[in-house]
Structure formats: C-alpha cells, structure tokens
Amino acid sequence: PDFSVSGLPGHLSVDWNGAKQYLVNFLDTVQKSSLAQNMYFIKSRSQIDSIHTVRVRDQAVKCDCPRNNATQGICAHSITLAYHLDLLEQHLVKWAPAPDNTMLEIQPQNAGKKKSERTRKRKSNQERNTEGYQDKRPPKPVIEDNEKFHLVYLNQTRSTICYGCHKQTRPDKRIEPPPHDMVLAIKIHRSFPVRSEPGGPITTRISKKKENVYFHIDKACVRKEFPGKELSNDDLVIDYTVSPPKLSH
C-alpha cells in the first residue's frame, strides 16, 4: 500500500520505503527461526553481515534494531514482517509515538537558534580539553615563601582541632596549662572534605582564600601536614607585646 494510507508521520516514510524493498526480495532477506516459534531473522540492508531479530507476540511485532527503539516500535523490518503475516493494520494501530522523540526526529538541527548563532561543535558528553590551563589554587595545601608560623595563645583563636594530628587543641572544651595554652597558626589554602550528596563519595576541596589553620606546638604535627618541613626560628613569628591570658581563680 501507499505510505499516505499508513497514518504514520512523514519522517517514517524511509522505513515504509525500506519495507517495500525487503518485500521484493523477501525470500532472500527474511528467514524463520528454527529455534523459537514466532521468531524471524532479517538481513540488514545498511550493514553487511548484520542480522536483526524480529519477534511476534500477541500480534505485536518487535525488532531489536536501534531504529525500532528510537521510533518507539516502527522500522522497515517490523513493517515487512507485519505485512507478511497480515498484521500490518494491527501493527500500525498499536504504534504510539513519544512526542519528544517525534519532535527530535523532524525538527531542524538549528531549531530555536538565531540565524547568526553558530552550532556548538563540542557535544555535551565530551570531556573538556584542559591542556594549557592551570588551576590557580594549589592542588594541596602548601606553605608560601612569605607565610610564617605565628605563636598565639589558644584563647585568642577559635581553634578546636590540630590541623596536623587532627586531635583536639581544647580537650573537654578547656584550655590546658602552659605550655599547652598556645598553638602555631599559619595562613594557607585550607583543604576540607566535601560530600556532594548523601551517601556519595567524599572529595577534597581547597579553599579559594587563605585561612588560618592551627597546630600543636609540636614538629611532628607540622610534618604530618607538610612532610619534610622542619621548623626553625626563621619560620616563627612571636609577638612579645601580647600578654598571656590571666589565670582564673
């Protein structure tokens, strides 16, 4: 029959015409399976040595080719077999297109764009080429040349955790007697763990701006965060004008 009586949208005419060519050489292209009932094999015209499987169940004809899946159940193979089994009318009546997919098939490639707007060359699923670009933030915390460790009293800070050993600087929320009432402070791009979604993986991020981090007055704590770093007097800044906190009685 002519395509005009099929009731199918115009973009499926290519499948209708393809079915006509299959029917001309039906005996050479279609073969019934001996393994399962209501199963047929149809040779592909576009891909050499490729065979598509078409199944018939409850008068429904379904092909395994990508085209059949993209058009929600219509392809040259399914039309061919439906016509041969006298199920063409039922096959066409059962077909119901997905509106979104149909529009994608028939709409122009530049639909919705201005005449002067260029088509995007890079597809959204392609990875961006970052060669030649460098993140301005350090990949991990580092001590810059102009930064020093400042010896400060603990009560002048909000420190609760040592950035090196990750143990408390204020056990039981209290400040211990000297010399444990002081910490080493330094400004760096602080790293911190982030979970993007509940139950998702934990990733490490680096702060955009420098922030104060605090260490116990212990070289081992500093080395845990900065391996190979050996503190010396040149690394320390001590403000002798700051008086120690008064002891409470």
Short mmCIF file of all heavy atoms in Angstrom, two decimals, residues 30-41 53-55:
data_model
loop_
_atom_site.label_atom_id
_atom_site.label_comp_id
_atom_site.label_asym_id
_atom_site.label_seq_id
_atom_site.Cartn_x
_atom_site.Cartn_y
_atom_site.Cartn_z
N VAL A 30 14.47 -12.62 4.54
CA VAL A 30 13.73 -13.00 5.75
C VAL A 30 13.75 -14.51 5.92
O VAL A 30 13.51 -15.25 4.98
CB VAL A 30 12.27 -12.49 5.69
CG1 VAL A 30 11.54 -12.87 6.98
CG2 VAL A 30 12.24 -10.99 5.48
N GLN A 31 14.06 -14.94 7.13
CA GLN A 31 14.11 -16.38 7.41
C GLN A 31 13.49 -16.64 8.78
O GLN A 31 13.78 -15.93 9.75
CB GLN A 31 15.55 -16.88 7.39
CG GLN A 31 15.68 -18.38 7.64
CD GLN A 31 17.13 -18.83 7.59
OE1 GLN A 31 18.03 -18.05 7.33
NE2 GLN A 31 17.36 -20.11 7.84
N LYS A 32 12.65 -17.65 8.86
CA LYS A 32 12.02 -18.01 10.13
C LYS A 32 12.98 -18.83 10.97
O LYS A 32 13.67 -19.71 10.46
CB LYS A 32 10.73 -18.79 9.88
CG LYS A 32 9.93 -19.05 11.16
CD LYS A 32 8.58 -19.69 10.87
CE LYS A 32 7.79 -19.88 12.15
NZ LYS A 32 6.46 -20.49 11.91
N SER A 33 13.00 -18.55 12.27
CA SER A 33 13.91 -19.26 13.16
C SER A 33 13.41 -20.67 13.43
O SER A 33 12.21 -20.90 13.60
CB SER A 33 14.04 -18.50 14.49
OG SER A 33 14.77 -19.25 15.42
N SER A 34 14.35 -21.60 13.49
CA SER A 34 14.01 -22.98 13.83
C SER A 34 14.17 -23.24 15.32
O SER A 34 13.85 -24.33 15.80
CB SER A 34 14.91 -23.94 13.04
OG SER A 34 16.28 -23.69 13.34
N LEU A 35 14.64 -22.25 16.05
CA LEU A 35 14.88 -22.41 17.48
C LEU A 35 13.69 -22.00 18.32
O LEU A 35 13.44 -22.58 19.38
CB LEU A 35 16.10 -21.57 17.90
CG LEU A 35 17.42 -21.89 17.18
CD1 LEU A 35 18.51 -20.93 17.62
CD2 LEU A 35 17.84 -23.33 17.45
N ALA A 36 12.97 -20.99 17.87
CA ALA A 36 11.85 -20.49 18.66
C ALA A 36 10.69 -20.14 17.74
O ALA A 36 10.90 -19.66 16.62
CB ALA A 36 12.26 -19.27 19.48
N GLN A 37 9.51 -20.37 18.22
CA GLN A 37 8.32 -20.05 17.43
C GLN A 37 8.10 -18.54 17.41
O GLN A 37 8.42 -17.83 18.37
CB GLN A 37 7.10 -20.75 18.03
CG GLN A 37 5.88 -20.74 17.14
CD GLN A 37 4.73 -21.53 17.76
OE1 GLN A 37 4.80 -21.92 18.92
NE2 GLN A 37 3.70 -21.77 16.97
N ASN A 38 7.58 -18.06 16.31
CA ASN A 38 7.28 -16.63 16.15
C ASN A 38 8.54 -15.76 16.23
O ASN A 38 8.50 -14.64 16.72
CB ASN A 38 6.26 -16.16 17.18
CG ASN A 38 4.92 -16.86 17.02
OD1 ASN A 38 4.56 -17.26 15.91
ND2 ASN A 38 4.20 -17.03 18.11
N MET A 39 9.67 -16.29 15.78
CA MET A 39 10.90 -15.52 15.72
C MET A 39 11.43 -15.56 14.29
O MET A 39 11.45 -16.62 13.66
CB MET A 39 11.96 -16.07 16.68
CG MET A 39 13.29 -15.29 16.64
SD MET A 39 14.58 -16.05 17.67
CE MET A 39 13.91 -15.80 19.30
N TYR A 40 11.85 -14.40 13.79
CA TYR A 40 12.32 -14.30 12.41
C TYR A 40 13.64 -13.53 12.38
O TYR A 40 13.91 -12.69 13.25
CB TYR A 40 11.29 -13.58 11.54
CG TYR A 40 9.98 -14.32 11.40
CD1 TYR A 40 9.02 -14.26 12.41
CD2 TYR A 40 9.69 -15.07 10.27
CE1 TYR A 40 7.81 -14.94 12.29
CE2 TYR A 40 8.48 -15.75 10.14
CZ TYR A 40 7.55 -15.68 11.16
OH TYR A 40 6.36 -16.35 11.04
N PHE A 41 14.44 -13.84 11.35
CA PHE A 41 15.70 -13.14 11.14
C PHE A 41 15.63 -12.40 9.81
O PHE A 41 15.23 -12.97 8.79
CB PHE A 41 16.87 -14.12 11.13
CG PHE A 41 17.01 -14.91 12.40
CD1 PHE A 41 16.80 -16.28 12.40
CD2 PHE A 41 17.33 -14.28 13.58
CE1 PHE A 41 16.92 -17.01 13.57
CE2 PHE A 41 17.46 -15.00 14.76
CZ PHE A 41 17.25 -16.37 14.76
N THR A 53 16.81 -9.50 14.66
CA THR A 53 15.83 -10.48 15.14
C THR A 53 14.49 -9.78 15.36
O THR A 53 14.42 -8.77 16.06
CB THR A 53 16.30 -11.11 16.47
OG1 THR A 53 17.57 -11.72 16.27
CG2 THR A 53 15.30 -12.15 16.94
N VAL A 54 13.44 -10.35 14.77
CA VAL A 54 12.10 -9.79 14.90
C VAL A 54 11.21 -10.85 15.56
O VAL A 54 11.16 -11.99 15.11
CB VAL A 54 11.51 -9.39 13.54
CG1 VAL A 54 10.17 -8.69 13.72
CG2 VAL A 54 12.48 -8.47 12.79
N ARG A 55 10.53 -10.47 16.62
CA ARG A 55 9.66 -11.40 17.35
C ARG A 55 8.20 -10.95 17.23
O ARG A 55 7.91 -9.76 17.16
CB ARG A 55 10.06 -11.46 18.82
CG ARG A 55 11.41 -12.12 19.07
CD ARG A 55 11.75 -12.12 20.55
NE ARG A 55 12.94 -12.91 20.85
CZ ARG A 55 14.18 -12.46 20.75
NH1 ARG A 55 14.38 -11.22 20.35
NH2 ARG A 55 15.21 -13.23 21.04
#
